[in-house]
Amino acid sequence: MVTLRVLTADDWPLWREVRLAALTDAPHAFTSTLADWHRGGEERWRARLEMPGAFHVVALLDDRAVGVAGGVPGEGGVRELRSVWVGPEARGHGVGDRLIGAVEGWARRTGGTTLVLSVIPGNDAAIALYRRNGFTDLSRDGETGEQVMVKALRPAAAGP
C-alpha cells in the first residue's frame, strides 16, 4: 500500500534519496541534472525543504520512496507544482494522481487560486497525467521551451 508523507527539513536524507532516484530514472523530465544535485551537502538538501511556504510530499511503498512532488508559493494566489516523479514500480497505480492531489490540497489551503506547472515537451506520460488532473495548456516558456500548464482552483472547503 502506498502512503504519502509530507516532508520537513529533518527529512532531507529521504528527499535526497528520492530526488536522486528521479534524476537517475528520468533525466529527460527535469531541467536540473543529477550532477547539479550531487554538489553540496546537507545544507543544500535542507535548503530546498526549508523554502518559506513550500510543500514537499513523498509517496512510500513498503517504506521505500517511489514518488515525489512539491509545491511552491507564488504571487497573487499562484502556486507552482514542481518535481513530480513516480518510480517505475509504482507507475500506473494512481500514485501521480495522489501526489498532485496532495499539492493541490496544500495550494487551496494556503489561499491558492491557480496551480501552474512546467513540463518538458515530449514528456507525453507527464502531460497526460496533468491533463487527467485538470490542467490545460497555457503557453511555452520563452527561456526554457517548457510547456506551461495551468489549473484554476476552487477555494478550500471551510471546516467545522
Side-chain angles (χ1 to χ4, degrees):
M1 173 147 117
V2 173
T3 58
L4 298 184
R5 177 173 163 186
V6 176
L7 300 179
T8 68
D10 290 335
D11 294 316
W12 71 268
L14 178 58
W15 161 241
R16 177 184 61 199
E17 172 191 333
V18 71
R19 182 67 173 159
L20 294 178
L23 292 170
T24 299
D25 173 63
H28 60 279
F30 301 100
T31 55
S32 46
T33 68
L34 191 58
D36 295 333
W37 280 94
H38 270 300
R39 290 181 296 217
E42 177 180 340
E43 299 79 28
R44 170 125 193 243
W45 294 102
R46 280 183 174 275
R48 178 73 175 261
L49 297 175
E50 291 173 338
M51 288 175 62
F55 177 82
H56 302 279
V57 61
V58 167
L60 300 167
L61 175 63
D62 300 326
D63 295 323
R64 284 185 350 268
V66 296
V68 66
V72 178
E75 300 289 319
V78 174
R79 305 293 183 264
E80 184 179 354
L81 175 64
R82 284 192 182 170
S83 304
V84 177
W85 173 77
V86 176
E89 68 274 29
R91 292 178 188 148
H93 298 284
V95 175
D97 297 318
R98 290 186 60 200
L99 289 166
I100 291 170
V103 174
E104 188 174 321
W106 158 82
R108 283 192 183 116
R109 288 188 306 277
T110 61
T113 56
T114 305
L115 192 56
V116 299
L117 63 88
S118 297
V119 61
I120 293 177
N123 191 346
D124 296 336
I127 292 168
L129 169 67
Y130 300 138
R131 285 186 178 144
R132 186 170 68 244
N133 279 275
F135 288 86
T136 58
D137 297 339
L138 182 62
S139 64
R140 287 252 185 240
D141 184 303
E143 282 184 39
T144 66
E146 292 177 290
Q147 176 65 43
V148 178
M149 299 179 80
V150 64
K151 179 177 183 177
L153 302 177
R154 296 183 313 275

